[in-house]
Amino acid sequence: MNDVVLTGDRPTGPLHLGHYFGSLANRVLLQDLHPLYVLIADYQVITDRDLPGEIRRHTTELLLDYLAVGIDPAKATIFQHSAIPELNQLLLPFLSLVSVSELGRNPTVKDEIAHSSQSAVSGLMFTYPVHQAADILFCKGTLVPVGKDQLPHLEVARLVARRFNERYGAVFPLPEAMMGAQPLLKGLDGGKMSKSRGNAIALSATEDETAALIRKARTDAERLITFEEERRPEVANLLTLAGLCLGRAPAELAEEIGDGGAVTLKRVVTEAVNEFLRPVRKRRAELSEGDARRILAEGNERARERAVRTLEEVRVAMGF
């Protein structure tokens, strides 16, 4: 049986270069190898915030980012949570398979609660891993690209699939983690790269916006540019970014820059990033919001057909 891949993002703001090198580039490769489902997880936005924000605009922008980097809607099924009621109906029988204590012990849930922006944690936060299990299992997903911090969520999906199969009969495959050697890019301020911290270069940023962000990036007082990740993390991060965009080793770039200092380093990084993003910006400019809405509607229809079949299997297996 051919593997099925499930991946996706929450529509909370523009995707950035960290997303591209961390996951998006891999999705473009995977769509030629396996059936690929790409989820716009709009329902999951409200797990850790009181209001969803500009959810409609963020959904459109997220889809435009996907298309601009090369995710092909003819190969990948791009869909959104809120458009697939059958997927969300799977949450109820799946919740019956997991105990409250098991949900409370999930280390990723604990960490997300600790960093939640809500004044009080909602019940959705505890059911979040089971909702993700429904995301994976509705399409019979077998491979899930994840970072190390998401492994506990995948274990919940495996637990749900295993218990359902033991209790009601074999319906679901056990999904496996797809761990990649994803490069870790820090933000331009040296902290964690994040949409909300203003320290990332968005895929939709203009050349001037990109140049302005890189000019403000942290470096250090040493003029000679060297690639030393432990001793000079900010300089190393900029060299890593340029190296990823140019397909070159960061240490090699450091040698070329030499005693050119931070000014030369930032010029090299700016040119590398802008050249790398040029075709992405061109594709994005050729797309309209109408294109995005049409493509999402088509993806939602395909995903819903899959979800209807899976939910019917579940109903039959459970005797409803």
Side-chain angles (χ1 to χ4, degrees):
M1 182 183 73
N2 195 11
D3 282 310
V4 176
V5 180
L6 185 284
T7 184
D9 303 278
R10 299 198 305 171
T12 55
L15 297 182
H16 50 65
L17 281 171
H19 292 119
Y20 179 82
F21 291 113
S23 62
L24 295 176
N26 192 41
R27 295 177 197 178
V28 174
L29 297 175
L30 285 170
Q31 68 184 356
D32 290 321
L33 302 174
H34 308 289
L36 175 66
Y37 286 81
V38 183
L39 167 65
I40 297 177
D42 52 358
Y43 269 166
Q44 288 181 2
V45 172
I46 55 175
T47 55
D48 61 352
R49 59 194 69 201
D50 295 320
L51 295 170
E54 298 179 73
I55 194 76
R56 188 184 297 274
R57 182 175 68 83
H58 287 325
T59 296
T60 300
E61 292 295 315
L62 184 59
L63 181 54
L64 290 172
D65 283 338
Y66 285 161
L67 300 173
V69 301
I71 295 177
D72 185 349
K75 299 175 181 177
T77 299
I78 306 171
F79 67 102
Q80 63 190 124
H81 258 156
S82 58
I84 319 295
E86 291 79 12
L87 185 165
N88 298 301
Q89 275 185 267
L90 290 172
L91 181 61
L92 289 177
F94 285 0
L95 277 172
S96 73
L97 300 167
V98 185
S99 71
V100 171
S101 61
E102 284 170 333
L103 292 175
R105 287 197 301 267
N106 187 302
T108 304
V109 169
K110 288 181 178 179
D111 183 67
E112 288 170 348
I113 288 173
H115 293 89
S116 172
S117 62
Q118 288 180 305
S119 55
V121 176
S122 77
L124 279 175
M125 183 64 82
F126 287 96
T127 60
Y128 182 37
V130 184
H131 204 173
Q132 284 198 331
D135 299 338
I136 296 165
L137 298 176
F138 97 95
C139 62
K140 306 292 182 74
T142 56
L143 291 176
V144 186
V146 291
K148 189 176 180 181
D149 62 328
Q150 290 292 310
L151 283 175
H153 282 350
L154 184 63
E155 281 306 310
V156 172
R158 290 173 57 83
L159 178 70
V160 166
R162 186 166 57 248
R163 286 181 178 168
F164 188 95
N165 293 344
E166 290 169 354
R167 193 171 297 183
Y168 301 112
V171 171
F172 296 108
L174 294 186
E176 299 285 346
M178 178 182 282
M179 303 287 289
Q182 299 173 348
L184 177 61
L185 275 176
K186 293 181 180 177
L188 296 173
D189 59 0
K192 181 181 178 181
M193 186 176 286
S194 169
K195 302 172 186 176
S196 60
R197 296 182 185 182
N199 64 357
I201 299 169
L203 299 175
S204 55
T206 66
E207 291 199 12
D208 289 344
E209 289 168 342
T210 298
L213 284 166
I214 294 172
R215 275 198 302 272
K216 293 188 293 185
R218 286 185 183 175
T219 53
D220 57 36
E222 293 184 38
R223 183 168 181 81
L224 181 66
I225 299 301
T226 57
F227 182 67
E228 300 173 73
E229 292 179 279
E230 293 295 324
R231 192 173 74 85
R232 308 180 70 186
E234 293 92 352
V235 170
N237 192 52
L238 286 174
L239 288 166
T240 298
L241 176 56
L244 287 168
C245 290
L246 294 169
R248 296 179 62 187
E252 181 184 318
L253 290 174
E255 284 185 23
E256 287 184 9
I257 295 168
D259 62 1
V263 172
T264 303
L265 170 62
K266 290 181 179 182
R267 176 179 57 78
V268 169
V269 176
T270 300
E271 290 173 357
V273 171
N274 277 331
E275 185 61 33
F276 180 82
L277 287 178
R278 193 158 288 126
V280 176
R281 290 169 176 146
K282 182 176 183 293
R283 283 195 293 269
R284 210 176 197 281
E286 292 168 352
L287 296 163
S288 69
E289 290 193 13
D291 295 325
R293 285 193 292 271
R294 175 182 55 78
I295 288 167
L296 188 56
E298 292 169 355
N300 287 340
E301 185 177 352
R302 293 202 301 273
R304 191 168 185 189
E305 288 172 359
R306 173 71 269 192
V308 166
R309 295 199 302 273
T310 300
L311 183 61
E312 184 60 23
E313 284 185 74
V314 166
R315 285 172 169 159
V316 170
M318 295 180 73
F320 287 117

